[in-house]
Amino acid sequence: MTATRSGALDLGQGRYVTEHAAPVKLLLRAWRFVRHQPLGTVGLVIVLTFIVAAVFAEQLAPYSPDKQNLRHRLEGPSAEHWLGTDYTGRDTFSRLIYGARISMMVGFGAVFIGSGGAAALGIVSGYLGGWSDKIIQRVVEAWQAMPGLVILLTILGIVRRMDNVNVVFAMVLAIGLLSIAGTSRVIRAQVFTIRHQPYVEAARSMGAGHVRIIWYCILPNVFPLILVTMTVGLGGVILAEASLSFLGFGPAGEPSWGQMLSIDGREHMRRQPGLAIWPGVCIALAVFGFNIFGDALRDTLDPRLRQR
């Protein structure tokens, strides 16, 4: 009876340790990241702030982004309108919050498409090598030689003239596809070094197929690099979306930071400078946050750069 109770007690303690080990380990890693990467922590806070603003825009914005009040047009900051109003009396703070939604949607969507395609292309090219690698790399070089901005403007110019087409989805798809080539070469270089490692040769000698080796040996070791390129690439995608919206190729009728800079800020900057300043600050902060967080993540995940 005692042995049974002891065994049950031991089993319960083991289950308790197993259930609570993962959260404790995660907290320790988070604390280590905060302690060793203070600038990266600042970037993470900035990134999370914009993500929360994008997800909970309806709850956080004090006004609807399209609510007009001509009596309060082009007003400065006040208790009712914290960052002032635009030329039709719309609340600038509310429009900035809703603008985060467009930037985050385009940013994360394009990065997932670009990183997913780049991972597939880079892993296949680096693992197979030989003629397959040469053919894929010639295609990638031709892909990179294309003028990206011209292609984006052409695609979005056509899409905006079509009925019942989602401009945001078209922007996500176009930016994501154009970003595949450059990232795939970085992943390919990493796969080249991994495919000759002893554990890959051991798996091959034991009869493992190509798919199994790629899934269990190559992908887990390349995933940190993919994660870092995704994080760093988000800043560039947000900047590209703001540039396209500034040029008038963004989604019509929806607030975006680039569009606010172009329409509101450029035309009414002298009377209400905040219309140009605040969207620019949001764009700069978003790009800065993703870049420094991506650099800190790279230093943490790369064993050659990891601080001891």
Side-chain angles (χ1 to χ4, degrees), residues 50-113:
F50 282 118
I51 292 175
V52 170
V55 174
F56 300 102
E58 289 89 352
Q59 290 76 24
L60 295 176
Y63 299 95
S64 170
D66 299 323
K67 183 180 179 181
Q68 301 181 8
N69 190 342
L70 297 178
R71 293 182 179 180
H72 298 282
R73 60 191 302 268
L74 295 175
E75 287 186 351
S78 63
E80 293 182 356
H81 304 283
W82 296 349
L83 300 181
T85 59
D86 65 2
Y87 66 102
T88 59
R90 295 174 297 189
D91 184 64
T92 302
F93 180 68
S94 300
R95 291 179 62 78
L96 287 173
I97 292 177
Y98 276 89
R101 175 170 292 181
I102 299 294
S103 296
M104 295 300 114
M105 285 174 57
V106 174
F108 281 98
V111 162
F112 276 118
I113 292 174

Side-chain angles (χ1 to χ4, degrees), residues 230-241:
M230 287 176 65
T231 308
V232 175
L234 273 163
V237 174
I238 290 173
L239 191 60
E241 182 275 327

Side-chain angles (χ1 to χ4, degrees), residues 13 15 19 25-26 51 62 70 94 97 130 143 147 150 175-176 189 200 212 223 237 257-258 266 277 286 297 306:
Q13 289 176 346
R15 188 184 302 115
E19 289 176 353
K25 192 174 182 181
L26 185 62
I51 292 175
L70 297 178
S94 300
I97 292 177
W143 203 332
V150 175
I175 296 176
V200 178
R212 188 175 183 83
F223 183 74
V237 174
W257 295 335
R266 188 171 55 178
I277 293 174
L297 200 62
R306 189 177 298 152

